[in-house]
Structure formats: structure tokens, C-alpha cells
Amino acid sequence: MSGALEGIRIIDASRVLAGPFCTMILGDLGAEVIKVEHHLAGDETRGWGPPFAKGESAYYLCANRNKQSMTLNLKTEEGRNIFKQLVESGDVVVQNFKTGTMDKMGLGYEVLKEINPKVIVASITGFGSDGPYKNLPGYDYIIQAMSGLMSITGEAEGSPMKVGIAIADVLTGLYTCIGILSALQHRHQTGEGQEIDISLMDCQIASLINVASNYLVGGMQPKRLGNQHPNIAPYQVFPVSDGEMVIAVGNDEQFKRFAAVIGQPELAMDEKYKSNQLRVENKDTLVPSCEWALKQRTKIEWKALLDEASIPNGPINSIPEMFADPQVNAREMVVKMEHPLIDDLQLTGSPIKLSKSPVTMRTHPPLYGEHTDKILENYGFTTDEIVKLRTKQII
């Protein structure tokens, strides 16, 4: 079975996480991805560690499978001309240079669309192509701070906290992927390419969902709630006799069952707790009653009882515990790949399960410049010409 994006060629001039994460998804879906890296250093994440496996950083490996790597000096005319050749036969360009950098190099959208009117150019920046911050560099940590995300993350009386992963980068990668797929559909209908302007700041703000809406609609100043929910109760971390677990009671019927399971059916009859709105308003008295009851049993005991009653719940797993979970293994969320240096390379699997055109793990995250010669040969360069390009530090 062929991938859903087989026949689509992606020219990936991005690095670090948001862009490479996006292009890896497109590669998983069957697209050909040519990763264009700096001719002297390559993607910065190649040096981000430890850990390293045979010199390859775990950070780089997480976002670069199903790609070919070539090196190219875009500050030279010859390097830019090679890039234009790639674009001429490509479908999508993904880049995350600072705003205006591609234009300064003579590789902006207006130039590239003259070379290939059908090309789609996805430009990822910290703050977008316009506005007072357009020229500022964008880093995930800064975006988490400026977007308001950190102000609502952490314990109520504690300091603002960042999320444990580069969530703004990940979300931006996903939004960029959606934009590219939409632009490909538009091109299918009209024959036209287009430019996609994606910023980390915009993506993180859009992802504030109900918290942003609470402020815009109700004027509510969001507060840090730790592991509680601003709109639902009880919906949080609870201590049990041997640790902690999350219990998420999402509606009134679930609350009735929950109250019965924990041996306090009278809570469901109490006028203060009969609706979710009332439970949120009276959380200060509801939560202690639940905590007392839940401390009487273990995580395993409560999970069995709550699962039987269809109450959403789960233990707080460590990363090793998560990867040992039978559900994770059943869903093939760990994949093994052959690699020229690493004997037993394991990577996180894809969450996209397509019945007719499944994702495939075809090629390992490429070594730095691994495919430079092969790619240039495919574009008609001779061995002697490639040697000269390398001597002149074009590649």
C-alpha cells in the first residue's frame, strides 16, 4: 500500500523542532522529504545532548526519520541556484528562518513561485510576517511565557511553570502540517500554490482553547490551578494509599457513579454538588471529602473499581512505566528502525492510523549530509561537479 502523500516532494529548509516535526509527519505519510542543512554545522539539534547514540543525538532522532539529508550553502549564488532546482521539481518548501531572511537571500515566496507557480511555501517564525514583533527570534520557552501559557501552569501558590516539553514547537508543527495539507487540497482544486504564514505565538494562543474563551466570553482572569480544572470538578490528581492518580469526572451521571464507587453516595444527593457548575463553585468542600475516601485504597484497586463504573481515571506513569504499558505496545507507539550506526534504534511511533494508506517507517533519521551526492546526481550533477562544489564549500 502506498502512503497518502506518495509523489509529494518536500524541500525542508527548517531545523530544530517545529519544522522538522511537521516534515517528519509528512514523511511518515509517504512524502519524499529532502532535508537541506547548513554546509558546515547542520541542524542544531544534532549537537543537543546528552544522550547520544554513536554520535547521533536523541533530540535530533526524534523528529527526522523518513528524510534524506543534503548540505547546501545558501549564502552563495551556486548554493541558491541548486536550491532553486530543488524547488522547481518540488511541491512544498518548509523554512523557519527569521522573518525576511529568505527574501534577503533571493529565495522568498515571490521568487520561488516564479520558478514553480504550484509551489507551497510554509514559513514558520516566532511571531509571524507582520506586527511589531515580526523581526524578533522565537523560542518555545519565550512563546510559552508571552502567550499566557505559563501564567496558568503550575500550582496556585507557586511560580509560573513551562510545560515539560517544547509544546509551542510541537503545536506549531501540527498546525503547519494542517496548513500544508489544506494548501495541497487547494492546489488540487485550482492548480495554484500559496504561502503559509505560521507563527509559534499564534499557534500557542489558539491552543489556549477554553482558557482563552473563558476570558474573552466571561472576562474571567485565568489562575494557576495546579492539577485542577477551571471548568470541571472533580477533575484532578488525587492521592491514594500508595501514590497518586488522575480522576476526571466529566458529567453529572459520572459523578453519581463516582460518589457510589467511593462509598459516599450522599455526595450526589447534596444540593451543593448536583450540577457541574455547583461542584466547581463548591470545590473547596467537595475535594476534601473525595480525598478522604480515595486514600483508603491503592491505585490498582481504584482503577479496577473506576474502570468498571466507566469513570475516566489513570495512574501517573513515569516514562518507563508508560512505555511498558500494554496499550502503548498494542498501538505500536514504539518502532524499531535500522540505522547505519545504531544497532537497536527505537523511536516513538506515529499516532496516525490510516486503514487504506498507513504511515510507514521507511528510512532512518539521516546522517549529516548522508544523501548530498545522491540527490545532486539525481538532478544531473556529475561526480566531478560534485567534487568541485565540495571544494568550494557550496555543499
Side-chain angles (χ1 to χ4, degrees), residues 227 235-248 258 262 291 294-295 297-307 311-317:
N227 289 311
Y235 198 103
Q236 62 185 76
V237 171
F238 284 101
V240 295
S241 67
D242 64 342
E244 293 178 308
M245 63 189 303
V246 170
I247 299 174
F258 173 70
I262 66 173
E291 287 180 335
L294 289 163
K295 286 179 181 178
R297 296 179 184 270
T298 66
K299 288 186 288 187
I300 291 176
E301 290 173 326
W302 280 126
K303 179 148 186 64
L305 291 169
L306 293 167
D307 285 350
I311 307 297
N313 74 95
I316 299 178
N317 286 332

Side-chain angles (χ1 to χ4, degrees), residues 334-352:
V334 177
V335 296
K336 294 183 178 181
M337 299 195 72
E338 293 186 2
H339 190 279
L341 300 179
I342 304 168
D343 292 334
D344 186 25
L345 177 60
Q346 296 185 88
L347 299 173
T348 304
S350 172
I352 303 172

Side-chain angles (χ1 to χ4, degrees), residues 53 78 94 171 207 250 313 318 330 335 358 371:
E78 287 180 85
V94 179
L171 292 168
S207 302
N313 74 95
S318 66
V335 296
H371 305 95

Side-chain angles (χ1 to χ4, degrees), residues 126 155 257 301 323 371:
E155 293 297 333
R257 299 197 302 274
E301 290 173 326
F323 277 125
H371 305 95

Side-chain angles (χ1 to χ4, degrees), residues 5-14 19-20 22-36 66-68 70 83 86-87 89-95 119-122 176-177 180-181 184 187 362 375 379:
L5 295 182
E6 185 174 355
I8 298 296
R9 177 174 290 169
I10 312 293
I11 312 304
D12 181 10
S14 69
C22 165
T23 55
M24 182 181 72
I25 296 171
L26 298 172
D28 288 352
L29 292 169
E32 175 191 0
V33 181
I34 298 176
K35 183 177 179 70
V36 179
N66 286 332
K67 302 178 186 180
Q68 303 173 71
M70 72 174 294
F83 189 83
L86 299 177
V87 172
S89 64
D91 297 284
V92 179
V93 174
V94 179
Q95 65 91 10
V119 74
I120 295 161
V121 177
T176 305
C177 192
I180 288 169
L181 295 176
L184 286 170
R187 190 182 72 177
R362 302 179 304 283
I375 292 169
Y379 279 84

Side-chain angles (χ1 to χ4, degrees), residues 95-226:
Q95 65 91 10
N96 62 350
F97 293 103
K98 286 177 63 177
T99 299
T101 299
M102 291 289 277
D103 289 313
K104 291 176 183 177
M105 290 193 295
L107 297 173
Y109 174 65
E110 295 302 320
V111 172
L112 298 184
K113 75 174 184 179
E114 291 298 318
I115 298 168
N116 180 357
K118 293 185 177 183
V119 74
I120 295 161
V121 177
S123 299
I124 303 171
T125 57
F127 297 95
S129 64
D130 53 12
Y133 300 160
K134 68 179 183 180
N135 293 319
L136 296 179
Y139 288 81
D140 175 274
Y141 202 168
I142 304 304
I143 299 301
Q144 289 198 42
M146 294 182 66
S147 68
L149 177 62
M150 286 180 64
S151 76
I152 60 168
T153 305
E155 293 297 333
E157 303 302 323
S159 298
M161 296 291 290
K162 71 178 182 67
V163 178
I165 61 167
I167 189 66
D169 279 339
V170 171
L171 292 168
T172 301
L174 293 172
Y175 275 114
T176 305
C177 192
I178 293 168
I180 288 169
L181 295 176
S182 300
L184 286 170
Q185 175 64 10
H186 176 265
R187 190 182 72 177
H188 177 70
Q189 296 172 333
T190 67
E192 299 174 332
Q194 61 181 296
E195 185 174 21
I196 304 170
D197 176 8
I198 294 277
S199 89
L200 273 69
M201 185 72 157
D202 294 349
C203 292
Q204 186 57 74
I205 290 171
S207 302
L208 292 177
I209 50 171
N210 61 296
V211 171
S213 188
N214 288 348
Y215 174 74
L216 293 173
V217 175
M220 292 176 59
Q221 172 67 37
K223 299 177 181 179
R224 289 189 296 281
L225 297 173

